[in-house]
Amino acid sequence: MWLLIVLITCYFRSGYSYIDKQPDFVETCHIKEKNFEACSTKAVQRLFNKLPEGIPSIGLQPLDPLKVSVIKILQGAGPVNVNASLTNVTVRGFGHTHIVSNLVDPKDYDFYTKLHLPKLRIDGNYVLLGRILVIPLQGRGKCWFEAKDLDIHVKSDVDLYKKDGLNFYNLTGVHIKYKLGGLKMYMGNLFDGIKSLEESTNAYLNTNWNLVSDSLYPILVKTIEDIMLDILQRVFNNIPATFFVPDFD
């Protein structure tokens, strides 16, 4: 199986320096204290509550809605065989993220985070040629996808480095697993706008959403991982880890 996803975001402006004074949306937790997990969970929730409105001081634009210029997908095996692209993509739902728990490994500094999103909706323009399940698909037009009750487990690969006497997190990778409680979708102008085929295909995909979700799992995982890594790198490259956890050895 081969899978390629190219993601181009458009919500960050460069040319900003890191924050050198602890902002009010960053809560300090001491890793050597017994209540660290509860404190860390609360601190990450506080940070995620801030992200949807953006952080102008580091040039991070609002993330709910999140704007993505292009998502290109090439997959060539299994139940999904597609050459597709999404443009002018808008993602809504990150503003309602609930952090269930957050752990930080005191030895290698990796994060282990569980979060819940009640709903995540993606709108955009699509171009598609390929097959999902047993259905050949071809078309271009408007589309939307709406997932509900997403439970996401995230492992973030992290190193520490020092800059100007302060510790910073260096996020090198994000790995996720997820479950969802439902999926709805719509692709307009399938099969050159033949309405009977368009409607029957969309109806089939929605009726069999769990099979569609399973078949699209690698694509959705990679897309979410890329989005999360990009956001978290931009945040932690510009906010010292010392403000979050001051007692790392």
Side-chain angles (χ1 to χ4, degrees), residues 1 4 21 41 63 77 89 94 98 101 110-111 126 133 137 139 144 149 153-154 157 160 169 173 178 184 198 219 229:
M1 182 180 79
L4 172 65
K21 293 183 179 179
T41 300
L63 299 182
V89 180
F94 286 119
H98 170 61
S101 66
D110 290 347
F111 304 160
Y126 82 95
L133 300 179
L137 296 173
W144 57 262
D149 292 328
H153 291 206
V154 186
D157 299 331
L160 278 185
Y169 293 123
Y178 76 84
K184 295 180 181 179
E198 177 185 314
I219 293 174
L229 180 62

Side-chain angles (χ1 to χ4, degrees), residues 12-196:
F12 182 78
R13 297 196 307 269
S14 60
Y16 287 75
S17 60
Y18 72 83
I19 295 174
D20 59 2
K21 293 183 179 179
Q22 184 164 339
D24 59 4
F25 57 85
V26 173
E27 185 169 343
T28 298
C29 299
H30 292 81
I31 200 166
K32 296 176 182 178
E33 293 186 356
K34 291 182 178 180
N35 69 339
F36 176 75
E37 181 179 351
C39 181
S40 179
T41 300
K42 182 181 176 184
V44 174
Q45 182 69 69
R46 191 169 180 175
L47 176 63
F48 268 73
N49 290 345
K50 175 66 176 178
L51 294 182
E53 67 185 67
I55 306 175
S57 57
I58 61 173
L60 189 68
Q61 300 305 297
L63 299 182
D64 197 359
L66 168 66
K67 301 293 186 180
V68 182
S69 296
V70 179
I71 301 175
K72 293 184 178 180
I73 301 167
L74 293 173
Q75 179 160 333
V80 176
N81 189 324
V82 296
N83 183 343
S85 67
L86 297 175
T87 56
N88 298 320
V89 180
T90 301
V91 183
R92 293 179 173 88
F94 286 119
H96 299 283
T97 300
H98 170 61
I99 305 301
V100 178
S101 66
N102 185 71
L103 291 171
V104 180
D105 191 308
K107 295 181 180 179
D108 59 19
Y109 315 116
D110 290 347
F111 304 160
Y112 297 85
T113 309
K114 297 179 183 179
L115 52 90
H116 177 81
L117 279 78
K119 184 167 68 175
L120 189 69
R121 179 175 172 112
I122 300 173
D123 290 86
N125 301 316
Y126 82 95
V127 177
L128 169 65
L129 177 63
R131 173 178 52 82
I132 297 177
L133 300 179
V134 297
I135 302 178
L137 296 173
Q138 180 179 350
R140 62 173 62 227
K142 300 286 186 180
C143 67
W144 57 262
F145 304 86
E146 188 172 282
K148 70 175 183 178
D149 292 328
L150 280 87
D151 291 309
I152 304 176
H153 291 206
V154 186
K155 177 184 179 291
S156 303
D157 299 331
V158 181
D159 298 315
L160 278 185
Y161 69 97
K162 281 192 177 291
K163 180 165 59 177
D164 298 335
L166 297 171
N167 284 325
F168 282 80
Y169 293 123
N170 176 33
L171 272 76
T172 58
V174 170
H175 314 279
I176 77 159
K177 296 179 181 179
Y178 76 84
K179 293 181 180 179
L180 54 81
L183 177 66
K184 295 180 181 179
M185 66 194 76
Y186 172 76
M187 290 181 283
N189 200 41
L190 281 171
F191 309 109
D192 297 321
I194 301 175
K195 283 299 179 183
S196 59

